[in-house]
Amino acid sequence: MVIREFVNDHNRKALDWLHHDYEHLGKQLRRRGVEVEPLTERAMAFRVAVPSWGVGTGGTRFARFAGPGEPRDVFEKVEDCELVNQMVRVTPGISLHIPWDEPEDAAELLAFAKARGLFFDSMNSNTFQDQEGQARSYKFGSLTHTDPAVRSQAVEHNLHCLALGQRLGARSHTVWIGDGGNFPGQVHFRRALERYLESLRAIYAGLPDGFRMFIEHKLYEPAFYSTVLNDWGTSYYCTRELGPKAFSLVDLGHHAPNVNIEMIVARLVQLGKLAGFHFNDSKYGDDDLDAGSIKPFQLFLVFNELVDAELEGVPGFDPAYMLDQSHNVTDPLESLMTSAVELVRAYVQAHLVDRAILRGAQEENDPILALQALKLAFTTDVGPILAMARHRTGGAIDPVAAYRASGYRRTKAEERPAVASRGAGIV
Ligand code: LRH
Ligand code: MN
């Protein structure tokens, strides 16, 4: 099955209205003194990595409803990532999770990805589950466990991920741990943080040349009373303690409801410690829903801070963009395509903000004018720019429609008879 033919076929029918809408938007923007072409080039250059664990159906502690044609190993996950990138053209990077994606032969996996125009982005370690035959359990923590033998087991796992990441051409390593307590008194807050830093220093010392280390804070879950790395402030303190190659990763779902995440982003940019993002959306907890599906204005405001820093040329500003979602009721590939499109939308809209007007309003303490400057950008339908960017880079004008027309899922269902998934990594 040559997806390219389906995409071309599909695009041919849509091209006329696309050109019409694109020219119309161009005229509208020109009235605002904005040229459409540079925005389309920015949309074409945007990049976000997809999570290997996001191409299979996710689940909750209550149930997992596997769909047809689930990927059964890392190679089939890479195939599905290729499909997503063929449709939206902004997702050539894949973020792997170890041991869920542990390859027998790293060189074979790297060649398999390269042959599909893909590369491996940030590696993710896993010391929040016990693996078959594991010597010591992570039930009471990993990098912060009171038993030094458990801590060094967890450090060894992270050093293994670093070595594997280097062989796979990755450039960063993400550490998220669930360590914490469920009851008051269970964990000594200060000693646990000291143990965390001691373990991170051992991992940091093993960073291959050119690697960056990302630490990911989270308010709660799986610990439900205290989490060792619970917020951005503690994360920032740790990255400062570790050194210049350590940065704080912001997972949008890891904050209490209504926390001003765009302000946390501005802080970490200003402090030179923003690693990047795990983009997703949520209504209540760490729901890992599709990016931009619940709070699209918040996503826009996050990109407004990022574009402000990008245009200002903030030194060292090089955030890594990744999706981190769990697709429980949708076709995961449709969710990943749609989420990638929503990120490009927020990014292009953020480039539509008239920063001279915004700055003037801020300096003159004119809140209405400032908000209007943001809302004008957020309420601009940049759909034609996004579709034109996909079309010009060989992608689908309407990714989900082209995907459904391709019958990819049906074909995979025939090719991949449902078996108990091996290392699919259900979050
Ligand atoms: C923790 C998290 C982390 C991953 C896991 C899959 O909630 O966001 O980034 O390791 O999800
Ligand atoms: Mn995450």
Side-chain angles (χ1 to χ4, degrees), residues 52-57 64 67-80 332-333 408-409 412 416 419-426:
S52 63
W53 60 94
V55 292
T57 299
R64 174 177 177 266
E70 294 276 339
R72 299 163 296 176
D73 60 32
V74 66
F75 290 90
E76 292 182 349
K77 290 180 190 178
V78 171
E79 271 183 351
D80 287 353
L333 305 188
Y408 180 88
R409 179 57 64 195
K412 292 304 169 188
R416 305 168 179 174
V419 293
S421 58
R422 177 170 60 81
I426 302 311

Side-chain angles (χ1 to χ4, degrees), residues 51 53 96-97 100 124-128 174-178 216-218 220-222 249 251-254 278 280 286 288 323-326 425-427:
W53 60 94
L96 293 179
H97 221 297
W100 296 337
N124 294 264
S125 59
N126 175 343
T127 59
F128 51 85
T174 301
V175 182
W176 171 73
I177 58 171
E216 183 179 357
H217 59 273
K218 182 174 182 178
Y220 78 102
E221 189 203 43
L249 184 127
D251 184 313
L252 298 194
H254 288 187
H278 278 180
N280 48 55
D286 186 21
D288 282 338
L323 288 166
D324 177 6
Q325 300 176 177
S326 176
I426 302 311
V427 185

Side-chain angles (χ1 to χ4, degrees), residues 41-74:
E41 267 134 42
R42 287 188 188 280
M44 291 157 71
F46 185 87
R47 291 290 177 270
V48 58
V50 291
S52 63
W53 60 94
V55 292
T57 299
T60 71
R61 56 184 161 173
F62 302 106
R64 174 177 177 266
F65 302 96
E70 294 276 339
R72 299 163 296 176
D73 60 32
V74 66

Side-chain angles (χ1 to χ4, degrees), residues 11 49 59 79 142 265 317 340 353:
N11 284 356
E79 271 183 351
S142 59
V265 171
F317 178 72
V353 173

Side-chain angles (χ1 to χ4, degrees), residues 58-382:
T60 71
R61 56 184 161 173
F62 302 106
R64 174 177 177 266
F65 302 96
E70 294 276 339
R72 299 163 296 176
D73 60 32
V74 66
F75 290 90
E76 292 182 349
K77 290 180 190 178
V78 171
E79 271 183 351
D80 287 353
C81 292
E82 180 195 13
L83 181 279
V84 171
N85 194 45
Q86 280 173 321
M87 294 298 173
V88 297
R89 309 309 289 151
V90 294
T91 60
I94 304 171
S95 201
L96 293 179
H97 221 297
I98 305 300
W100 296 337
D101 301 321
E102 181 85 35
E104 263 128 47
D105 176 339
E108 181 197 9
L109 178 60
L110 183 55
F112 188 86
K114 275 197 172 146
R116 288 160 178 74
L118 307 172
F119 64 87
F120 295 112
D121 199 295
S122 197
M123 302 290 287
N124 294 264
S125 59
N126 175 343
T127 59
F128 51 85
Q129 292 172 327
D130 289 346
Q131 306 304 325
E132 210 65 43
Q134 187 176 298
R136 292 177 173 78
S137 172
Y138 293 134
K139 177 175 179 179
F140 292 108
S142 59
L143 296 176
T144 77
H145 198 290
T146 53
D147 177 349
V150 175
R151 297 201 299 275
S152 60
Q153 175 184 275
V155 168
E156 278 317 307
H157 166 69
N158 279 275
L159 296 176
H160 164 72
C161 292
L162 288 175
L164 176 58
Q166 195 177 23
R167 290 206 302 282
L168 290 170
R171 311 277 297 156
S172 64
H173 177 70
T174 301
V175 182
W176 171 73
I177 58 171
D179 293 25
N182 277 1
F183 302 96
Q186 179 183 344
V187 173
H188 188 281
F189 300 146
R190 292 182 287 119
R191 289 200 294 270
L193 186 61
E194 278 316 313
R195 294 192 294 267
Y196 179 62
L197 269 173
E198 172 213 301
S199 298
L200 283 184
R201 288 196 181 96
I203 300 169
Y204 188 90
L207 282 178
D209 291 349
F211 253 67
R212 296 189 297 170
M213 181 163 152
F214 301 161
I215 61 173
E216 183 179 357
H217 59 273
K218 182 174 182 178
L219 182 64
Y220 78 102
E221 189 203 43
F224 292 104
Y225 168 68
S226 69
T227 292
V228 177
L229 193 73
N230 64 325
D231 67 9
W232 78 271
T234 310
S235 179
Y236 169 66
Y237 163 72
C238 292
T239 59
R240 282 288 303 272
E241 288 295 303
L242 289 166
K245 294 186 282 184
F247 299 86
S248 299
L249 184 127
V250 177
D251 184 313
L252 298 194
H254 288 187
H255 305 85
N258 307 324
V259 160
N260 188 327
I261 297 176
E262 56 271 23
M263 192 170 177
I264 292 174
V265 171
R267 287 278 180 277
L268 288 170
V269 166
Q270 189 160 12
L271 298 167
K273 282 295 188 180
L274 177 66
F277 297 85
H278 278 180
F279 287 113
N280 48 55
D281 212 335
S282 51
K283 183 84 177 144
Y284 305 102
D286 186 21
D287 311 337
D288 282 338
L289 299 172
D290 296 8
S293 63
I294 307 291
K295 305 189 287 285
F297 190 48
Q298 174 182 272
L299 185 63
F300 163 78
L301 292 173
V302 166
F303 273 96
N304 177 52
E305 293 302 327
L306 296 169
V307 167
D308 193 60
E310 180 188 320
L311 294 174
E312 206 182 288
V314 170
F317 178 72
D318 177 22
Y321 297 157
M322 291 163 272
L323 288 166
D324 177 6
Q325 300 176 177
S326 176
H327 309 114
N328 306 341
V329 294
T330 60
D331 180 316
L333 305 188
E334 294 186 359
S335 278
L336 288 171
M337 287 177 226
T338 305
S339 302
V341 169
E342 288 314 307
L343 294 185
V344 187
R345 184 189 311 283
Y347 176 66
V348 170
Q349 287 176 330
H351 269 286
L352 269 178
V353 173
D354 185 317
R355 297 202 175 264
I357 289 179
L358 179 61
R359 186 180 185 115
Q362 288 164 341
E363 297 305 319
E364 301 307 314
N365 300 305
D366 185 338
I368 288 296
L369 206 62
L371 182 60
Q372 273 185 352
L374 295 181
K375 277 294 185 73
L376 177 60
F378 177 65
T379 56
T380 301
D381 174 8
V382 297

